[in-house]
Amino acid sequence: MSLRFVALVFTLSFFTFSASAQIARDFMAGGAVDLIKTDNNKFLEKAQVSLECNYFVTRQFTGSAGFEIWTNQGVSFAVGGRWFPVEEAFVRFRGLIGENDLSLGAGWAKPINDRVKFEAMGDFYFQGDFAIRAGIQYIIRRRS
């Protein structure tokens, strides 16, 4: 299923043309919430929220740091990066310090305006869980 999701994300990204490009040394900060995760047994039993900041090393690669917050497990520090093969789609890899896990994900970003993007993504956690999440990112442009 995750391979189909990644293929769908990349296919849909080619049909989105209204983005404004981020450039090297821009920052992107935002958050996301899990819509569904495989370890949830009951509806609204627990929640997971992520806060993340990305630094564009190049137009296609970011370094990221942030936090994963679980209502019943505490907080985990997340460090990783993103690769944007096209402007509207990305692949990300993160290490979760505190949870002692790694995650590999892919997502799609739809610009709302020149600084704000809506994101939808899927993450596979190496401990065996899968999550689908949605969030908002804000681009902080560097000064020329």
Side-chain angles (χ1 to χ4, degrees), residues 68 70 76-78 94-103 125:
E68 293 282 325
W70 292 272
S76 188
F77 183 65
R94 300 176 309 143
L96 301 168
I97 301 165
E99 188 65 21
N100 297 326
D101 199 2
L102 299 171
S103 72
Y125 295 87

Side-chain angles (χ1 to χ4, degrees), residues 2-15 108:
S2 63
L3 183 58
R4 286 183 185 167
F5 177 74
V6 172
L8 177 65
V9 167
F10 284 115
T11 303
L12 290 175
S13 69
F14 287 108
F15 296 105
W108 165 79

Side-chain angles (χ1 to χ4, degrees), residues 24-108:
R25 298 191 329 233
D26 280 354
F27 284 91
M28 186 170 62
V33 63
D34 281 1
L35 301 175
I36 190 167
K37 191 170 178 193
T38 55
D39 69 345
N40 288 350
N41 296 324
K42 295 182 191 173
F43 185 67
L44 297 177
E45 178 184 19
K46 62 180 180 173
Q48 181 172 336
V49 176
S50 68
L51 303 172
E52 183 177 76
C53 186
N54 288 274
Y55 175 74
F56 284 89
V57 179
T58 69
R59 289 182 69 166
Q60 292 184 305
F61 291 96
T62 71
S64 67
F67 295 96
E68 293 282 325
I69 304 161
W70 292 272
T71 57
N72 67 346
Q73 294 174 327
V75 177
S76 188
F77 183 65
V79 177
R82 290 183 180 197
W83 170 54
F84 289 83
V86 295
E87 192 170 342
E88 297 85 11
F90 59 89
V91 176
R92 73 181 191 168
F93 182 76
R94 300 176 309 143
L96 301 168
I97 301 165
E99 188 65 21
N100 297 326
D101 199 2
L102 299 171
S103 72
L104 178 63
W108 165 79

